[in-house]
Amino acid sequence: MNTLSFWSLVIDGGYLMIPLALLLIVSIYIFIERCIVINKASREDGTFMNRIREYIHEGDIESAVSLCKKTDSPYSRLILKGISRIGRPMNDVLIAIENTGNMEVAALGKGFTWLSTTAAGAPMIGFLGTVTGMIQAFYSLAEAGVSANITVLSSGIYQALVTTVAGLVVGILALFAYNYLTARVNRVMRDLEGKTMAFMDLLNEPAV
């Protein structure tokens, strides 16, 4: 009994397997690279806000700025922006922090457009392979005339099915990767919002 190998499926799928393979490779790279970046952004120093509170209450702005720069994380950059606006109206401070947060979230989402495009586009490429494969199959059938048989149809239909499966697989993987990374970024965004509110509350606290 003959068995199909992965490589033979790729070869038999035709030239449309090339863009599908490229989409898959780039999507895997983006997924791994974004996972590393988001994991780094998710790390949190549990003592950070307490130390910032102490420095602000003591009026030691320089130490607070130094701590933010040394921590080097999305939330520390938000707090650093807020510290740089101390003395201005509270609404100005909040807007400055929110603008910085939006830029941090946008930076974390770099490459997500590629994943969402792949999730939608890869199945379409697969369906294109289905159409071209079926056209080839029926063209071969017409050319064969009276000698036509199932063998004439088989190669075109086989190619059509292979590209369809490949497109769906790449699209599904890209979709899962996109949704997973989006959920991780949303979690970071909620953490940033929490830090923003904590800092704004800090500015309203009376010094002790």
Side-chain angles (χ1 to χ4, degrees):
M1 181 179 178
N2 294 330
T3 57
L4 292 173
S5 68
F6 174 77
W7 182 247
S8 67
L9 284 174
V10 171
I11 296 299
D12 293 337
Y15 65 91
L16 285 176
M17 296 296 284
I18 297 174
L20 289 174
L22 292 175
L23 288 173
L24 178 61
I25 291 170
V26 176
S27 296
I28 291 173
Y29 170 80
I30 291 174
F31 177 72
I32 295 174
E33 188 267 341
R34 286 294 94 188
C35 278
I36 294 172
V37 171
I38 295 171
N39 282 337
K40 183 179 178 182
S42 301
R43 293 174 188 162
E44 186 174 347
D45 181 356
T47 66
F48 177 80
M49 287 305 299
N50 290 333
R51 295 167 68 185
I52 290 292
R53 178 177 288 103
E54 292 175 2
Y55 291 141
I56 297 298
H57 284 171
E58 294 169 0
D60 190 357
I61 303 300
E62 185 177 338
S63 294
V65 169
S66 176
L67 176 60
C68 290
K69 291 180 178 179
K70 183 172 64 176
T71 304
D72 188 27
S73 67
Y75 64 82
S76 70
R77 287 188 283 273
L78 258 67
I79 302 304
L80 178 61
K81 177 61 69 173
I83 291 173
S84 71
R85 295 296 190 271
I86 288 179
R88 298 188 181 185
M90 295 293 287
N91 191 55
D92 291 350
V93 177
L94 180 59
I95 290 174
I97 293 176
E98 288 178 343
N99 288 339
T100 302
N102 290 335
M103 289 188 291
E104 291 290 340
V105 171
L108 291 177
K110 179 182 177 183
F112 283 19
T113 302
W114 177 275
L115 290 177
S116 63
T117 301
T118 299
M124 299 303 292
I125 294 175
F127 294 148
L128 177 61
T130 301
V131 173
T132 56
M134 295 303 293
I135 289 174
Q136 179 62 44
F138 284 104
Y139 176 78
S140 299
L141 184 63
E143 287 289 299
V146 294
S147 61
N149 55 47
I150 191 63
T151 305
V152 176
L153 282 171
S154 62
S155 62
I157 295 176
Y158 177 59
Q159 176 182 330
L161 294 176
V162 169
T163 54
T164 300
V165 171
L168 289 173
V169 168
V170 174
I172 289 170
L173 291 176
L175 179 62
F176 283 143
Y178 174 80
N179 288 336
Y180 173 78
L181 292 176
T182 299
R184 293 290 306 277
V185 170
N186 288 339
R187 192 179 308 164
V188 173
M189 185 169 61
R190 289 192 296 271
D191 291 340
L192 294 180
E193 290 172 351
K195 290 290 190 304
T196 299
M197 293 300 101
F199 181 74
M200 298 305 295
D201 290 342
L202 166 61
L203 295 183
N204 289 316
E205 289 178 1
V208 264

